[in-house]
Amino acid sequence: MKKAFTLILILSFVFSLSAQDDEGFVRNGKWVIETGTSIFTSGSGGTGGSILFADGSTFTQIGLDIGKFVSEDFVVKGRLGILNTGGNTLNNISIGGKYYLGGMAPIEVNAGIITGFGTAFLGDIHLGYAFALADNIYFEPKAGVIVDEETATGSIKFTFAMIF
């Protein structure tokens, strides 16, 4: 009962958000690039790169998280992530979609593979809110779950969606 009440409360909040949607900017047909970071998980940080030096080792990461709006509220996305840990390379390739409930609450689903120590399935689902910083830039904090063939891990993401 408590879970059902929480779900109803979240859904009613999400559908009440449409009043903040700006009708002047049209997203349909435009490209979106996402950048940001993910807490409690790896391999899903978004567009960008980083180099970390620790204990004499070098860790490099580069990623691309890009999509195209096929309607005003729906994005078809692709993700490529490469992590080099000084001799071992992990690759994350996934496709998915993101739908903006009420125009401002993204629900995102992705599925793909991660390779490097064999090949494994990797998928995720996240729900968040898009704070409009400009017509074409959103700050999107999201919470969700990342699943692989054996486990499910909670995830918190802080991303910026830039629409061109």
Side-chain angles (χ1 to χ4, degrees), residues 83 87-92 113-120:
L83 174 65
N88 298 317
T89 301
L90 297 174
N91 299 304
N92 175 8
I113 59 170
I114 190 162
T115 63
F117 299 108
T119 301

Side-chain angles (χ1 to χ4, degrees), residues 26-148:
V26 177
R27 297 185 287 204
N28 188 15
K30 295 198 165 112
W31 291 93
V32 62
I33 297 175
E34 292 187 2
T35 185
T37 188
S38 178
I39 298 175
F40 308 125
T41 62
S42 62
S44 60
T47 303
S50 64
I51 299 175
L52 173 67
F53 302 101
D55 298 328
S57 297
T58 303
F59 301 91
T60 56
Q61 177 179 357
I62 188 166
L64 178 63
D65 200 339
I66 191 167
K68 178 130 175 127
F69 278 92
V70 294
S71 73
E72 189 62 25
D73 292 326
F74 184 69
V75 179
V76 175
K77 295 181 52 177
R79 177 184 300 148
L80 171 64
I82 302 169
L83 174 65
N84 186 313
T85 61
N88 298 317
T89 301
L90 297 174
N91 299 304
N92 175 8
I93 301 169
S94 66
I95 59 170
K98 179 168 39 170
Y99 184 75
Y100 287 87
L101 298 168
M104 296 301 287
I107 184 166
E108 183 175 349
V109 177
N110 297 291
I113 59 170
I114 190 162
T115 63
F117 299 108
T119 301
F121 167 80
L122 186 67
D124 68 82
I125 183 166
H126 286 84
L127 176 64
Y129 185 76
F131 294 94
L133 303 178
D135 283 342
N136 66 331
I137 301 174
Y138 299 130
F139 172 62
E140 298 180 352
K142 301 174 222 169
V145 177
I146 295 179
V147 296
D148 62 23

